[in-house]
Amino acid sequence: MTLMERLLAAGYPRDQMFSHESDLYIFVTPLTMLVVEAWCKENGYSRSWHCPMFRDEVTGKPMYDCAFQYVDYWKDKEGEKVT
């Protein structure tokens, strides 16, 4: 299951998922902390590298920047493949 799928299954709202190209941005909440930490642990990832935190310039709230985890970007790329 992708990180996005895990977040949605856990109840994180889709309208609170943001992106820049393939990176997924989500707010740091007790729910996202649990999901991100479990996902990193299960995959042997370092949270500080795969999902570092930053402060959102609009809201001032902390967010995760999850590298390469915005699934919609990859679905669009898959559609661009020339066969």
Side-chain angles (χ1 to χ4, degrees):
M1 188 181 285
T2 68
L3 179 58
M4 278 184 65
E5 291 168 336
R6 287 174 182 238
L7 289 161
L8 291 168
Y12 188 78
R14 179 73 166 91
D15 67 351
Q16 293 297 301
M17 292 182 177
F18 306 95
S19 67
H20 174 72
E21 297 198 6
S22 66
D23 290 354
L24 173 66
Y25 299 152
I26 54 174
F27 288 104
V28 176
T29 68
L31 174 68
T32 60
M33 289 170 63
L34 289 172
V35 173
V36 167
E37 291 295 336
W39 176 79
C40 285
K41 184 176 181 179
E42 288 172 21
N43 289 287
Y45 298 152
S46 164
R47 203 238 2 112
S48 63
W49 191 90
H50 285 86
C51 291
M53 290 185 202
F54 69 98
R55 189 154 305 276
D56 179 41
E57 291 182 9
V58 175
T59 65
K61 296 178 182 178
M63 295 188 86
Y64 287 118
D65 175 0
C66 300
F68 313 117
Q69 295 306 307
Y70 186 62
V71 174
D72 294 351
Y73 174 86
W74 298 111
K75 287 180 182 175
D76 289 345
K77 285 291 183 191
E78 184 69 24
E80 293 176 12
K81 280 190 175 178
V82 177
T83 56

